[in-house]
Amino acid sequence: MTDKSYNCIRVDTKALQNNFAAIRKIAGVPVMAMVKADAYGHGMVMAARAFARAGCGHFGVAELREAVLLREAGLAGEIFVTLGFDAEGAELLFRHDLTPVIYSIEAARALADTAVAMGREIGVHIKVDTGMSRLGILPEELVPFLDAVAALPGLRVAGIMSHFPESDDPGAKSNVKGFAAFSAAACEMKKRYSGICHIANSGAVLNFPDTCCDMARAGIALYGYYPQGKPSPDYSLKADLQPAMSFATRILQVKTLPAGTGVSYGHTFRIEQPTTIAVLPVGYEDGYSRLFSNRGQVLVKGLRVPVRGRVCMNMCMIEVTGVEGVAAGDEVVLLGRQQNEVITADELAETMGSISYEVLCLLGNNNKREYIE
Ligand SMILES: *Cc1c(COP(=O)(O)O)cnc(C)c1O
């Protein structure tokens, strides 16, 4: 039995820490590191530890089980559970000293019942929907909701939060409108309770840091990418973000095929003159999307070469005609740097018609990870 793989995700923990420090500096307030989705493919526990060593004291996950895993791994600090909980989960929130995000009075009541049963108190953050049309109560419901929550035994209003739908586009009108609605809601909350307020994600920190309020919640920027796919020179404050993830594999076989030969399923690539093909042990099962069929590029010996034919489940083919001395066992970089060439998650995202977030999750969460300090 071995858990060795040809394919390896490398995560540079120094880059994670560099990015945390850069974002913290721009935000000027505490930054919650969003480590949901296994830290966007970087490994939740390892990434959270790296951020903690860089001074991070707040962490955000989607589900309760992720928060429990972080506590079991010994992570201190405040951990926010953003997607709610059920009756059984309410007890785990107390047991692991977690911070729930609340968006329904039923959940607040279940939490209060548990608080009473356990003789404990818990601080909750209330999600307000200021234009995302995702989780959260509407701003006009906030005051009665806050009062209803605060009236429940064992519950303390510790904060309100919202989310920007278009902070990656500094010119979008929804940013101004959403922040105005959130500011008004924050004002109402602060008149009554001593909670904090937070709305800024990476796009907001980078494009309009004035919205950082009492805390920012950053995800993609901590992993080294700009939400809009590139730094926007007009708006982004200078942040020296360093991509933390790279992905490399090894060539399994190299061969030269004659004209007229079809490559991979469906023969969507047909060889026109003698062509050298290298076979890679990477496919869509490893998060290398089938959308890279005949469109992706990878790095071999510091050169960009194309993917030929369809990406299979566990393999794909690249053309290395004219690249000197390519042999089985050679390293191929699919994401990251090799000599002077770089393939970024933004480049892969553009080929896929997606965003860097998805590329990082797909590659990071489907391959063996290694950490470099
Ligand atoms: C994921 C998430 C963020 C971080 O968003 P980025 O664009 O990656 O910075 C912030 N807030 C909430 C509630 C989230 O779920």
Side-chain angles (χ1 to χ4, degrees):
M1 206 8 224
T2 171
D3 70 344
K4 255 182 96 166
S5 170
Y6 295 113
N7 307 331
C8 184
I9 288 285
R10 280 196 193 86
V11 177
D12 180 348
T13 54
K14 277 270 172 335
L16 296 177
Q17 294 174 323
N18 166 85
N19 299 337
F20 179 81
I23 292 301
R24 173 76 182 76
K25 193 166 163 211
I26 295 173
V29 290
V31 172
M32 185 195 302
M34 297 307 297
V35 293
K36 65 191 182 206
D38 224 348
Y40 295 40
H42 295 68
M44 179 178 69
V45 169
M46 292 296 278
R49 282 183 184 152
F51 295 135
R53 286 199 302 277
C56 181
H58 307 269
F59 304 88
V61 295
E63 294 208 54
L64 184 60
R65 57 173 289 280
E66 301 171 271
V68 172
L69 285 172
L70 283 175
R71 281 288 188 250
E72 285 174 352
L75 195 85
E78 187 167 16
I79 304 178
F80 288 74
V81 178
T82 61
L83 296 195
F85 51 90
D86 59 14
E88 184 194 346
E91 200 184 315
L92 288 171
L93 290 166
F94 288 96
R95 195 169 318 139
H96 294 280
D97 196 14
L98 305 171
T99 303
V101 173
I102 303 264
Y103 46 85
S104 82
I105 198 67
E106 292 75 21
R109 287 197 192 107
L111 198 57
D113 290 346
T114 311
V116 170
M118 296 180 77
R120 299 268 304 269
E121 195 206 69
I122 194 166
V124 302
H125 287 236
I126 287 147
K127 187 78 178 263
V128 188
D129 176 8
T130 54
M132 180 76 182
S133 305
R134 207 168 63 177
L135 275 184
I137 58 164
L138 295 172
E140 57 268 29
E141 299 166 349
L142 180 66
V143 170
F145 189 87
L146 283 172
D147 292 342
V149 168
L152 290 167
L155 264 54
R156 181 169 48 81
V157 174
I160 64 165
M161 61 187 278
S162 189
H163 197 61
F164 283 116
E166 295 183 286
S167 64
D168 56 338
D169 174 4
K173 288 195 178 65
S174 72
N175 294 321
V176 179
K177 218 174 141 213
F179 190 61
F182 186 67
S183 300
C187 209
E188 292 301 319
M189 185 272 289
K190 291 201 173 193
K191 269 192 232 162
R192 297 167 175 81
Y193 306 98
S194 60
I196 64 165
C197 50
H198 43 110
I199 182 170
N201 52 4
S202 297
V205 175
L206 291 162
N207 295 322
F208 28 93
D210 293 351
T211 62
C212 286
C213 304
D214 300 314
M215 179 162 66
R217 304 186 310 266
I220 197 72
L222 300 184
Y223 304 104
Y225 286 94
Y226 292 86
Q228 62 266 41
K230 57 180 179 335
S232 64
D234 299 344
Y235 296 92
S236 287
L237 294 191
K238 269 230 164 316
D240 165 35
L241 301 181
Q242 301 168 2
M245 182 190 293
S246 58
F247 181 48
T249 189
R250 306 244 155 232
I251 293 174
L252 290 185
Q253 190 189 10
V254 180
K255 61 188 151 192
T256 300
L257 298 167
T261 315
V263 177
S264 194
Y265 289 121
H267 278 183
T268 57
F269 184 79
R270 201 164 281 278
I271 287 172
E272 282 170 7
Q273 51 218 345
T275 293
T276 308
I277 292 289
V279 183
L280 306 183
V282 174
Y284 53 81
E285 188 235 2
D286 309 296
Y288 197 68
S289 172
R290 202 162 169 276
L291 294 167
F292 294 124
S293 301
N294 289 312
R295 299 176 70 200
Q297 294 191 334
V298 302
L299 307 179
V300 183
K301 300 211 175 285
L303 300 173
R304 278 177 178 269
V305 302
V307 172
R308 295 302 195 202
R310 285 196 183 137
V311 173
C312 308
M313 188 180 284
N314 301 97
M315 285 184 273
C316 64
M317 274 61 80
I318 57 172
E319 179 172 345
V320 292
T321 310
V323 184
E324 280 301 310
V326 179
D330 285 355
E331 184 197 63
V332 174
V333 170
L334 297 98
L335 169 68
R337 174 178 292 277
Q338 195 187 51
Q339 297 173 32
N340 296 322
E341 277 286 351
V342 183
I343 292 178
T344 65
D346 289 320
E347 175 186 333
L348 295 178
E350 183 155 348
T351 307
M352 283 174 71
S354 183
I355 51 176
S356 60
Y357 298 64
E358 186 180 5
V359 170
L360 297 174
C361 289
L362 282 173
L363 295 177
N365 288 332
N366 286 294
N367 292 286
K368 213 170 132 44
R369 284 184 290 244
E370 208 172 73
Y371 293 85
I372 43 178
E373 290 293 321

